[in-house]
Amino acid sequence: MAHGEGNPLALDREAMRALGYRTVDLLVDALTDAEAPPLRRASQAELRERVGGPPPEEGEPFEEVLGRLEREVLPFRSRGEHARFFAFIPFAGTWPGALGDFVASACNIYAGSWMEAAGPSAVELEVVGWFKNWVGYPERAAGTLVSGGSTANLTALACAREALAGPMSDDLVGYVGDQSHSSVARAARVLGFRPEQLRVLPGGPDQRLSPRALAAAIDADVHAGRRPLFVVASGGATNTGAVDPLTAIADVCGARGVWLHVDAAYGGFAVLTARGRELLAGLELADSITLDPHKWLYQPYECGCLLVREGELLRRAFEIVPHYLEDARASGEEVNFADLGLQLSRSARALKVWVSVRTFGLNAFRSAIERSLGLAEDARGRVTTSDRLELLAGSLGVVCLRRRDATDEENAGLVAALERSGLGLVSSTRLDGQYAIRLCILAPATTAADVDAVLDFLETAEPAAVDDELEQYERDPPVEPAARAVAAFADFGDERTAEAGETVIAQGDATRDFYIVLDGRLDVLVDGERVRALSPGDFFGELAALDWGAGYGYPRLASVVAVTRVRLRVMPSERLNELASQIPEVRAALRAAVRERLPRRPA
């Protein structure tokens, strides 16, 4: 291969062109392969055989390297652009967007300072301006493109803490709905929030965060001397697509001086359609918003966005200018995007958005989103009228269902059978402890026939045998095994007593211990109303003790008061979660309790 003169890592112009043409041919063939399934798996051992080995001391012909990539690597991946890829949240990027990424990568643009990337920085300002306009933010708002929703959520909560509280403090408290994305838990953990400093609140029957429950939780913390800092609401939950009642939640937060962050990574760009704007009403009232252009704006990974209503707060939270960067300090209307987030070294992510939107025009994206919304609505309607399928939840492009009168294992077997057939791909989740088959319709290539083909399969196919690794999808346990599971707890934890009239746990508390009744009787009270009695062999406290994510869980959702003198076995939440991960009967008993006891109240 011809190298540039004096540079061992350069190629001459003709070689660069030839390699580029050959690479584009490979990609076009890969992206237009109509026979490829939505997902092809491979074990680590198999791929080690295919791609393993030490690096060569001398270079290999690029044609051979590309050939190995084509044969041994690219086939083993998911294809988010596939018309029947309904798992997780699909990721159907556009070709012009990919070429914009190629330009950014080939030019190796550093997009952290205006001095070194005036052109790309101006494009990012333009793209962020588009997003601000679409969600209804004022001109003074600011934003930055990041790797994805997880980073955007972390950046938002860090900005909120710096704006309202400064350094981390033991009395700060945050609030999230139980359908929030796991990245919120990760962000809270990274920022130093301990388990008792994040309230995970149950939603209503529609899986949406209840403004009433949120207000009660905030007011209880204020009364206890704590400082409510932030609320994270969903602008399209990953589990169900549900959008929290944003206007009412904004009212709760505004009246109490609490930062409202809306995680709209999945659903945010639905505002480009009339139907989406109605579902996302109140989004413009948030203090900060997460968006993901690599989801419903059809951009290649990685491309997330954080918008902050009061843009100067974003700069104050992150701007640090050491001596060695004084030469690149921004002046006037210049923007150094490294001053608006965590990354100093950052790529020019805006180019793909700018190239893609300008190439297709906004109406094309609007049409693709609207079609997804319509197909999902039609799918929910079909499931509702089906004799064999049951609709559990769904909003935006998400449909959660299961086959009627089938066990969790059998429903999991349908998911596995569909994947093995190559016809399509769906994923699963749990809603109030119940196994759910989950479809997310997003790819612009998807048609009504594609959705019907997958639903036909789920209605009629025989479930596949579930592998050992899918043990998590066990059947709901009968009473006798559940009783055995509870009895297994008796060897763990400490014993304590409570006298008649004593409150063992109080509604709203952040404690997370788990209790088994050894002797005596107790009442369970919600908002002062008796909802259940407990006697020897019963257990309580499991909702707060179970790990929602990163060690966080629900606050106490009910009070438990001793009616007689009682003896209790008390187990720390960490031990309960360890047992639940190790013993299927324990896990099953707890899930059954979650389905029965988790309160889902109207907003």
Side-chain angles (χ1 to χ4, degrees):
M1 183 175 295
H3 294 277
E5 184 177 352
N7 184 346
L9 299 179
L11 303 173
D12 65 39
R13 293 165 61 92
E14 292 310 312
M16 292 169 68
R17 287 193 177 92
L19 269 55
Y21 296 152
R22 177 65 186 93
T23 302
V24 168
D25 288 342
L26 178 152
L27 292 173
V28 171
D29 290 343
L31 292 172
T32 58
D33 181 1
E35 303 301 318
L39 173 68
R40 185 176 174 190
R41 299 181 190 242
S43 68
Q44 185 179 12
E46 180 183 355
L47 287 174
R48 190 183 300 116
E49 287 294 318
R50 290 175 175 270
V51 302
E57 288 296 330
E58 302 298 330
E60 300 170 350
F62 184 77
E63 188 69 28
E64 292 182 15
V65 175
L66 205 60
R68 289 193 67 188
L69 192 66
E70 185 175 22
R71 295 187 307 275
E72 317 292 1
V73 178
L74 292 181
F76 304 103
R77 62 183 177 93
S78 58
R79 299 170 57 93
E81 75 282 359
H82 194 286
R84 294 175 184 171
F85 186 106
F86 302 139
F88 314 115
I89 295 181
F91 44 96
T94 67
W95 181 245
L99 295 178
D101 239 2
F102 175 60
V103 171
S105 180
C107 293
N108 201 21
I109 296 170
Y110 167 67
S113 74
W114 187 277
M115 171 186 173
E116 295 185 73
S121 295
V123 169
E124 187 162 346
L125 279 177
E126 183 71 8
V127 167
V128 168
W130 292 347
F131 296 172
K132 286 164 31 178
N133 181 57
W134 297 347
V135 303
Y137 258 13
E139 183 61 31
R140 66 181 182 276
T144 181
L145 297 186
V146 295
S147 59
S150 295
T151 300
N153 285 336
L154 172 61
T155 308
L157 299 191
C159 180
R161 192 185 69 187
E162 289 301 306
L164 299 184
M168 190 61 198
S169 174
D170 290 345
D171 60 351
L172 297 176
V173 186
Y175 307 82
V176 301
D178 61 4
Q179 297 302 303
S180 293
H181 193 267
S182 60
S183 64
V184 177
R186 187 179 296 115
R189 181 169 64 184
V190 168
L191 292 171
F193 285 81
R194 298 193 309 275
E196 67 272 18
Q197 291 181 268
L198 187 69
R199 308 279 184 263
V200 183
L201 303 176
D206 54 6
Q207 309 288 335
R208 304 200 305 163
L209 178 60
S210 162
R212 184 177 65 184
L214 174 63
I218 294 174
D219 292 345
D221 279 323
V222 171
H223 182 73
R226 304 183 186 98
R227 285 193 293 165
L229 176 64
F230 66 78
V231 170
V232 179
S234 290
T238 301
N239 250 6
T240 65
V243 178
D244 289 333
L246 300 179
T247 300
I249 290 174
D251 289 343
V252 171
C253 293
R256 292 160 176 81
V258 176
W259 184 286
L260 173 59
H261 174 65
V262 176
D263 179 3
Y266 161 54
F269 287 109
V271 296
L272 289 172
T273 70
R275 189 178 344 204
R277 281 195 301 276
E278 183 176 351
L279 287 169
L280 289 154
L283 180 63
E284 73 282 358
L285 302 175
D287 293 292
S288 56
I289 301 171
T290 286
L291 301 169
D292 259 2
H294 63 219
K295 292 187 174 72
W296 234 339
L297 201 61
Y298 305 105
Q299 299 307 307
Y301 286 130
E302 298 174 349
C303 194
C305 179
L306 171 65
L307 300 177
V308 176
R309 165 181 282 279
E310 301 299 331
E312 187 58 29
L313 297 179
L314 187 60
R315 184 188 305 277
R316 290 181 195 169
F318 293 100
E319 184 178 31
I320 298 175
V321 184
H323 293 309
Y324 52 81
L325 292 179
E326 281 288 350
D327 292 343
R329 184 187 288 272
S331 61
E333 296 184 354
E334 298 174 354
V335 175
N336 286 351
F337 280 98
D339 294 339
L340 304 184
L342 300 169
Q343 285 184 273
L344 179 59
S345 297
R346 61 192 304 278
S347 62
R349 297 186 178 97
L351 294 191
K352 53 189 161 194
V353 181
W354 191 80
V355 168
S356 184
V357 171
R358 289 203 168 276
T359 298
F360 287 114
L362 201 52
N363 279 336
F365 291 91
R366 185 177 290 114
S367 176
I369 296 168
E370 180 58 42
R371 185 159 79 164
S372 296
L373 293 170
L375 290 173
E377 184 175 341
D378 291 344
R380 291 191 289 269
R382 172 176 166 174
V383 173
T384 300
T385 60
S386 170
D387 292 331
R388 300 207 70 188
L389 301 178
E390 174 187 7
L391 183 67
L392 300 180
S395 183
L396 292 173
V398 178
V399 186
C400 294
L401 58 96
R402 59 183 283 129
R403 187 180 284 185
R404 296 180 187 275
D405 303 320
T407 66
D408 282 3
E409 187 177 50
E410 289 165 342
N411 276 286
L414 290 174
V415 174
L418 178 64
E419 179 188 332
R420 292 170 193 174
S421 74
L423 175 74
L425 191 73
V426 296
S427 54
S428 67
T429 188
R430 282 191 177 270
L431 299 174
D432 297 342
Q434 185 176 34
Y435 183 92
I437 299 171
R438 180 184 167 282
L439 288 70
C440 183
I441 300 168
L442 184 147
T446 298
T447 65
D450 294 311
V451 177
D452 285 339
V454 169
L455 292 179
D456 288 344
F457 186 98
L458 296 175
E459 282 186 318
T460 62
E462 286 296 317
V466 178
D467 296 334
D468 290 340
E469 66 212 40
L470 295 178
E471 173 68 27
Q472 58 182 312
Y473 305 136
E474 76 282 344
R475 293 178 178 86
D476 292 341
V479 173
E480 192 269 331
R484 282 206 316 270
V486 173
F489 293 144
D491 293 331
F492 301 97
D494 299 322
E495 187 172 316
R496 69 165 277 195
T497 61
E499 300 301 324
E502 182 178 341
T503 298
V504 179
I505 58 176
Q507 185 174 348
D509 280 356
T511 58
R512 299 191 59 195
D513 290 336
F514 172 76
Y515 298 84
I516 303 165
V517 183
L518 302 178
D519 188 45
R521 293 184 298 111
L522 306 98
D523 280 343
V524 180
L525 309 174
V526 176
D527 298 333
E529 179 183 348
R530 183 177 182 270
V531 297
R532 187 165 59 254
L534 300 171
S535 55
D538 288 334
F539 58 84
F540 63 95
E542 74 288 339
L543 291 173
L546 289 176
D547 186 6
W548 173 78
Y552 302 110
Y554 293 102
R556 298 299 187 185
L557 303 179
S559 296
V560 179
V561 179
V563 177
T564 66
R565 189 176 190 274
V566 295
R567 287 192 307 118
L568 304 167
R569 180 73 65 182
V570 186
M571 183 187 302
S573 62
E574 296 83 359
R575 186 62 176 133
L576 178 66
N577 283 286
E578 182 182 346
L579 288 175
S581 68
Q582 294 173 349
I583 305 175
E585 288 179 351
V586 171
R587 187 165 61 245
L590 294 173
R591 282 180 176 161
V594 168
R595 283 195 294 276
E596 176 189 354
R597 299 176 180 177
L598 184 64
R600 294 292 182 190
R601 301 178 226 165

